[in-house]
Amino acid sequence: MAVTDSDLFAAAEAIRTRAYAPYSKFTVGAAILADDGRIYSGCNIENAAYPQGNCAETSAIAAMIAGGARRILRIYVTGPGREPVTPCGGCRQRIREFADPDTVIISHGVDGEPLHSTLAGLLPHSFGPEFLGK
């Protein structure tokens, strides 16, 4: 059975309920469709030494790597509000490590409409592993 955007949205929203965001109160969930066909999800985790926490995308990437997958095929990010919750700059670079420029990133403030973009659209002229001969 093929993984759909609805499946990714459901996984992102399910994990978002587990976010630890006592300082910002801004809960975020992320779900990755990986190269092994599985969904890996993560939520944001804040820390009293703010901003020393984990973004949802970072947590999802860590779960993906721990699960044995290596490439992001698609990623869905959810958060509160009407505006699309796009990955921060640091997460865009982290996604770049494991995704191709044409990888679709869906950013969704759950009270609004999702924004579909590519990694290249969110992080143009990016620096990636190929620059280091990897």
Side-chain angles (χ1 to χ4, degrees):
M1 181 168 96
V3 174
T4 67
D5 286 350
S6 293
D7 297 326
L8 291 172
F9 173 78
E13 278 296 279
I15 199 73
R16 187 164 77 98
T17 65
R18 296 182 180 176
Y20 180 74
Y23 307 103
S24 73
K25 310 285 192 245
F26 195 85
T27 58
V28 180
I32 291 171
L33 172 59
D35 58 351
D36 63 358
R38 295 178 53 199
I39 295 174
Y40 296 92
S41 57
C43 58
N44 58 321
I45 304 165
E46 294 179 349
N47 186 291
Y50 200 66
Q52 297 298 319
N54 282 355
C55 294
E57 300 90 336
T58 302
S59 296
I61 290 168
M64 178 188 80
I65 296 300
R70 290 293 180 258
R71 300 297 296 163
I72 297 169
L73 302 182
R74 197 168 185 89
I75 185 167
Y76 206 120
V77 181
T78 63
R82 296 191 57 76
E83 295 301 314
V85 177
T86 60
C88 71
C91 284
R92 292 174 193 202
Q93 185 62 46
R94 287 179 186 92
I95 293 166
R96 172 65 170 88
E97 185 72 17
F98 302 101
D100 297 326
D102 62 346
T103 298
V104 173
I105 299 172
I106 304 164
S107 305
H108 196 170
V110 297
D111 295 328
E113 294 298 317
L115 170 69
H116 291 72
S117 55
T118 63
L119 177 57
L122 290 177
L123 190 65
H125 311 290
S126 65
F127 184 83
E130 68 277 8
F131 287 90
L132 301 174
K134 184 173 179 193

